[in-house]
Amino acid sequence: MPLNQQHCTSPRELFSVLAAGAILLLVVHGLGRFIYTPLLPYLVADGQIDAAGGAAVATWNYLGYLMGAMVAIRWHRIDQIRVLLPVFMAVHILTSLAQTQLDTVTLISVSRWINGVANGVVFVQAPALILEWLVSRNRAAKSGLVYLGVGVGLLVSSALVTLAADWLSGADRWWPAAVLSIPLAWWGTARLLALDVPVRAEQPEQPTSKPGKLLDRASLPLFLAYAGAGLGYILPMTFLPLLAKLQLPEGHWLIDGSWLIVALVTLPSAWIWNNLGAKIGDHPAIIANFVIQLLGVLAAVLLPGATGIVLCGVLIGSTFLGAVLLTQRIGRALHPHQGPRLSAALVALYGFAQMAGPWLAKQWLGMGGTLESAFWIGVAALAWGLLFVFLVPKPEVWHRQSR
């Protein structure tokens, strides 16, 4: 691809591509995955599910997410992405519609598992396709903006749940998200399939590439840190509204408002961390990110009640996307020839850690523990992640030493 092709990419085209990717993440992550968090207190109140059953359903969804990321590792080439992306967007739509008809924990779990597979594939492949397109145009610094879709998705999911709270119940509560997903998924998928991304960008036979070696002294601490981030943030992102319901008086505004807070602070977070990483460096930025996340989960366990819930929502909501985009960028800088395969491996690990969070919470609740004390799992995980993020070398230093 000519070096001057970057000059042929108009601001309008750049915006439409980033918007398409953001919309797909809004659909699969906001309307597909995280809408379950504000829905959970209502589903419990409707008698459709209890707290332990809610943790089980979340675990199955995260297992699907992990499996979807593994699918994306196996089929990571551009030509394969062009086939799998529309297929799994269709799977997302079908399972979202199915959730409006299901009333037992077992069937809900199956649907959420399949929906999680679709989410995992799309969450890897859509940003990976866009990143390769941006790299070919020397615009890789814009890649983090795709994750704005997750923040918007959280805000939209919060609004859909709150607005429909009084006139829907049980399985019908899934209808608004399912209906809205259809036109958004169609447009976003069509736009990304039209991207001009050369297949040769994925070929591992280049002399300077190192196919098959994802883990080494540089990337291993990054993977270990990312595992801690996945396990650490997922407990508040799954159970924060339910924690508010358990700790606060009935009708308290934070039962719905806690998720709205998360959504509002998530909205600009991708832009903030994308630009902060570009300004001070991705490595210092990710250290700051982990510290803030750790303080967020600590707030929930050390300050029970409204103060802790608000602080947890603000600090976790404003950072978790930053951890994702900064880790992806650092990983690609350490292994520039791995491309979507590296992205998929990181997402798979993140998915495994997220699956472990609700599962561990379920085991703890089954042994008589409280939801509040289960949040200490997240504290320990983020402390682990912070330790290892200090051991990740700066990419420029690593490549200089590797010569």
Side-chain angles (χ1 to χ4, degrees):
M1 182 170 294
L3 292 176
N4 64 356
Q5 182 160 1
Q6 57 176 301
H7 302 298
C8 301
T9 304
S10 67
R12 180 176 179 180
E13 181 183 20
L14 185 64
F15 174 82
S16 71
V17 172
L18 292 172
I23 283 174
L24 291 191
L25 298 192
L26 182 159
V27 170
V28 297
H29 230 53
L31 302 181
R33 181 183 193 178
F34 280 129
I35 196 170
Y36 179 71
T37 303
L39 276 177
L40 184 55
Y42 289 102
L43 298 178
V44 170
D46 294 340
Q48 190 182 42
I49 204 168
D50 59 16
V57 170
T59 300
W60 279 103
N61 183 247
Y62 300 155
L63 174 61
Y65 182 75
L66 169 62
M67 295 174 69
M70 297 298 289
V71 168
I73 293 175
R74 173 62 181 85
W75 291 285
H76 63 276
R77 298 198 316 267
I78 296 299
D79 56 329
Q80 294 166 336
I81 290 175
R82 293 188 189 281
V83 173
L84 293 181
L85 189 63
V87 168
F88 281 99
M89 284 307 304
V91 170
H92 165 83
I93 296 297
L94 292 174
T95 51
S96 296
L97 291 170
Q99 283 158 194
T100 67
Q101 306 300 311
L102 304 176
D103 257 334
T104 68
V105 172
T106 299
L107 292 177
I108 294 170
S109 296
V110 171
S111 176
R112 295 296 290 163
W113 166 60
I114 299 172
N115 187 270
V117 174
N119 184 6
V121 173
V122 175
F123 196 78
V124 171
Q125 291 192 343
L129 181 64
I130 291 171
L131 178 58
E132 295 305 312
W133 183 82
L134 290 170
V135 167
S136 70
R137 287 154 175 78
N138 200 25
R139 299 290 185 92
K142 302 291 185 183
S143 61
L145 298 179
V146 172
Y147 295 98
L148 284 168
V150 179
V152 176
L154 265 61
L155 189 60
V156 172
S157 70
S158 176
L160 290 178
V161 171
T162 302
L163 292 174
D166 294 333
W167 54 279
L168 293 176
S169 65
D172 288 342
R173 294 189 185 275
W174 292 98
W175 270 113
V179 171
L180 182 59
S181 291
I182 296 172
L184 295 180
W186 179 84
W187 182 82
T189 303
R191 181 66 186 90
L192 292 194
L193 291 180
L195 287 183
D196 177 21
V197 182
V199 174
R200 62 180 173 83
E202 292 295 312
Q203 296 300 321
E205 290 80 19
Q206 299 178 37
T208 57
S209 68
K210 299 179 181 179
K213 191 177 181 181
L214 287 175
L215 292 177
D216 56 21
R217 287 185 293 110
S219 61
L220 181 58
L222 183 67
F223 275 83
L224 292 173
Y226 203 43
L231 177 54
Y233 99 100
I234 200 60
L235 291 173
M237 289 297 288
T238 302
F239 297 115
L240 192 61
L242 185 57
L243 183 66
K245 183 177 177 63
L246 294 174
Q247 291 185 346
L248 301 174
E250 185 176 351
H252 196 286
W253 71 272
L254 277 174
I255 295 174
D256 281 334
S258 60
W259 192 247
L260 179 61
I261 289 172
V262 172
L264 288 172
V265 299
T266 301
L267 192 59
S269 67
W271 182 87
I272 291 170
W273 289 104
N274 187 74
N275 285 276
L276 184 64
K279 184 174 183 179
I280 69 173
D282 288 342
H283 193 265
I286 202 170
I287 291 173
N289 182 283
F290 272 65
V291 170
I292 295 171
Q293 285 196 75
L294 178 58
L295 293 175
V297 186
L298 273 172
V301 296
L302 297 180
L303 300 170
T307 301
I309 289 169
V310 169
L311 283 174
C312 182
V314 169
L315 297 180
I316 294 296
S318 62
T319 50
F320 79 94
L321 281 182
V324 173
L325 70 91
L326 290 170
T327 300
Q328 293 283 349
R329 279 217 302 247
I330 291 171
R332 197 183 191 285
L334 290 170
H335 292 293
H337 301 291
Q338 296 290 356
R341 184 165 172 258
L342 175 65
S343 175
L346 285 167
V347 172
L349 178 65
Y350 205 56
F352 177 80
Q354 291 171 93
M355 180 188 69
W359 182 83
L360 289 170
K362 182 176 183 293
Q363 305 311 306
W364 182 247
L365 293 171
M367 292 187 295
T370 64
L371 186 61
E372 293 92 333
S373 59
F375 273 51
W376 279 107
I377 299 169
V379 173
L382 282 164
W384 161 283
L386 181 60
L387 171 65
F388 279 100
V389 83
F390 276 106
L391 302 178
V392 178
K394 294 181 179 180
E396 62 273 16
V397 175
W398 168 252
H399 290 303
R400 188 164 58 245
Q401 293 174 344
S402 300
R403 289 173 184 170

